[in-house]
Amino acid sequence: MCSVWLWRTLGIVRVKRMNLVKIRVNAQFVDSTNGKLRRPGDVIEVTSLARAKKIISSRLGTLIEITSTWFQTTKQPKILVYISLLASIGGIETAIKNMAKAFPDRNFCFIVKNYDNIESIFELGERFSVIIDEPGMRYKGDVLFIMNFDGADYLGDRAEVRKAYEFCHCDWNGLIEVGTKLKLAKYPGAKYVAVSETCKKGLKDVWGEDSVIVPNILNKVDISNTVTFLFMSRATCEKGVDTMLDMLKKFDEEDRDYIALVCSQIYQATPEIQRRLTANDRIINIPASRYARKLLKSADYLVQLSATESYCYAVREALNVGVPCIVSDIPELKKVIKDGENGYVLKRDLSNLDSDKIFNNIPKPKPYVEKISPKWEKLLDGTL
């Protein structure tokens, strides 16, 4: 559920908004909200983005569209933004999201042909309408933005608008030099928009097309409240990967700002754990490496919610470089972690999890050192 403050003659009135999400059911399930049996092929509508994400991420359904209620009575021009591929990361994707953030009161409708992460779709769908494009679908609006070089091939003549713009985000001269096989798909009557002088020159040199330069939008990047967690163990329940995921789920429910770096052998995890590790967009999975310790420089916490430990190098190495740890309340870990001083000690069921402390009171531990036991010399000499 969303809300917006609107100014009216008699003052400021808070108006609640609910975007409508339409989903096509893929697998049979019982709807937890009303007890109805949902069958493959059914089309359901929900007003909770969180619930919609849960259905889709569980592969129970496929997104059809998100209908925004923010602009139902607006007189703003309807801007169709056609995206042939919305990837998780990239310059075009950043340009699209920054445009949406910079102009929140513009009536955008994003039409997406392909995407690789549902989180990117729902990020746009928090305020704007999003339609997953299918062959034969037709669209009507005032202005059309084609954001990818091949977008015109996918869209064809299915959009009725008064003005169309085709964006150029690449250096065509540079692409030709490296042997690209890509070709520009031209939308009839569209005016070309280049995001830089380099784009403009390449578009003219390679394709003979004139363009107007409209620079990309650079929004403020705010990471001031982001907390970074690092997991650097085997992706097994013994090492607490399941408990860590449960902790992150609670953070998601509380809308906390975090990222989790998971440096592990993900192939060792169960299929369900693998699904959870890859379904959360805030989790960045990193292949195990002998250089993994270098990640400690980027972490606010090391997480080690193990079911059992006999020594635990990861915790001691983190403390050695001043990184606090979040650990389980097992004897071996409580020997080195003092709750609130150099980290936090959590029960395995997370019943004592205090998110406010974790996010607002990050401990600053003193560097931890251990002297080499004199028994080693005797061991090496064979005299122990």
Side-chain angles (χ1 to χ4, degrees):
M1 183 176 291
C2 305
S3 60
V4 62
W5 292 94
L6 295 180
W7 177 263
R8 292 183 177 177
T9 306
L10 298 179
I12 297 178
V13 179
R14 188 166 186 161
V15 180
K16 296 192 181 219
R17 305 288 188 181
M18 294 185 296
N19 285 1
L20 186 66
V21 186
K22 189 179 293 185
I23 298 171
R24 182 178 293 108
V25 176
N26 295 335
Q28 184 170 295
F29 69 96
V30 176
D31 196 324
S32 60
T33 60
N34 52 28
K36 290 184 178 180
L37 180 65
R38 303 300 188 180
R39 295 181 173 88
D42 289 350
V43 174
I44 61 175
E45 295 180 341
V46 300
T47 55
S48 165
L49 293 182
R51 179 168 168 251
K53 278 195 280 188
K54 185 176 181 180
I55 293 172
I56 294 168
S57 62
S58 300
R59 301 179 183 176
L60 297 174
T62 302
L63 179 67
I64 298 175
E65 66 177 298
I66 302 172
T67 302
S68 172
T69 60
W70 291 77
F71 304 100
Q72 288 180 339
T73 59
T74 184
K75 295 182 180 180
Q76 291 273 7
K78 185 175 184 179
I79 305 165
L80 306 179
V81 183
Y82 192 84
I83 307 164
S84 59
L85 173 62
L86 184 65
S88 299
I89 190 170
I92 296 175
E93 292 70 33
T94 303
I96 292 167
K97 293 174 184 178
N98 281 3
M99 176 182 70
K101 291 177 181 177
F103 299 104
D105 295 324
R106 287 291 190 164
N107 187 11
F108 291 113
C109 175
F110 295 93
I111 305 167
V112 182
K113 179 64 179 177
N114 300 293
Y115 59 92
D116 64 7
N117 193 311
I118 194 66
E119 292 290 343
S120 296
I121 297 291
F122 278 100
E123 184 176 348
L124 295 173
E126 287 178 2
R127 184 171 180 88
F128 304 104
S129 293
V130 182
I131 300 172
I132 305 304
D133 186 39
E134 294 184 4
M137 294 177 69
R138 302 194 66 84
Y139 307 101
K140 187 174 182 179
D142 297 290
V143 181
L144 170 66
F145 291 174
I146 298 176
M147 303 305 293
N148 306 81
F149 72 92
D150 58 353
D153 280 345
Y154 289 102
L155 181 59
D157 62 354
R158 294 183 290 125
E160 182 183 339
V161 294
R162 59 178 172 79
K163 187 70 176 180
Y165 298 95
E166 191 165 349
F167 281 71
C168 176
H169 295 268
C170 64
D171 171 16
W172 280 105
N173 282 325
L175 289 177
I176 295 298
E177 287 181 9
V178 298
T180 185
K181 303 294 184 183
L182 301 176
K183 292 185 178 181
L184 179 68
K186 300 182 180 181
Y187 190 83
K191 186 170 187 176
Y192 286 94
V193 175
V195 301
S196 68
E197 185 64 45
T198 299
C199 291
K200 180 181 176 70
K201 187 175 187 305
L203 195 59
K204 182 67 173 178
D205 292 348
V206 176
W207 300 106
E209 298 289 351
D210 292 319
S211 60
V212 58
I213 297 176
V214 180
N216 274 330
I217 297 167
L218 178 62
N219 291 338
K220 176 178 172 57
V221 179
D222 185 6
I223 59 172
S224 58
N225 296 318
T226 305
V227 175
T228 302
F229 301 95
L230 173 63
F231 179 84
M232 200 166 53
S233 292
R234 294 190 302 276
T236 63
C237 294
E238 170 206 348
K239 293 297 182 181
V241 67
D242 55 337
T243 309
M244 178 199 68
L245 288 168
D246 290 343
M247 179 182 73
L248 298 182
K249 182 181 178 181
K250 289 182 180 293
F251 293 159
D252 289 332
E253 292 169 352
E254 297 171 359
D255 198 26
R256 302 284 180 172
D257 186 5
Y258 75 89
I259 60 169
L261 308 178
V262 176
C263 184
S264 184
Q265 300 99 327
I266 191 172
Y267 62 84
Q268 293 181 329
T270 64
E272 174 60 17
I273 292 297
Q274 290 187 34
R275 185 195 68 77
R276 293 179 68 186
L277 285 171
T278 54
N280 188 336
D281 205 39
R282 289 184 177 273
I283 297 176
I284 301 173
N285 290 289
I286 304 169
S289 164
R290 63 192 179 99
Y291 295 108
R293 294 175 184 85
K294 306 289 186 182
L295 292 171
L296 287 166
K297 188 174 183 179
S298 303
D300 293 303
Y301 289 101
L302 178 94
V303 179
Q304 194 74 46
L305 295 168
S306 304
T308 178
E309 288 288 354
S310 61
Y311 180 77
C312 194
Y313 266 114
V315 166
R316 286 169 167 83
E317 289 176 341
L319 294 177
N320 184 251
V321 294
V323 175
C325 303
I326 297 174
V327 303
S328 52
D329 61 346
I330 58 176
E332 184 59 34
L333 296 179
K334 289 196 292 184
K335 288 179 182 178
V336 290
I337 298 300
K338 307 305 176 187
D339 193 69
E341 294 182 16
N342 57 358
Y344 292 104
V345 179
L346 302 183
K347 295 180 180 179
R348 287 279 291 162
D349 63 3
L350 301 179
S351 58
N352 65 330
L353 175 64
D354 188 332
S355 300
D356 285 333
K357 280 187 179 180
I358 289 174
F359 279 82
N360 300 323
N361 296 294
I362 300 176
K364 297 180 180 179
K366 297 177 181 178
Y368 178 89
V369 294
E370 286 184 358
K371 294 182 179 180
I372 298 175
S373 170
K375 292 180 180 179
W376 270 103
E377 292 291 347
K378 293 181 180 180
L379 186 64
L380 295 170
D381 291 338
T383 60
L384 184 63

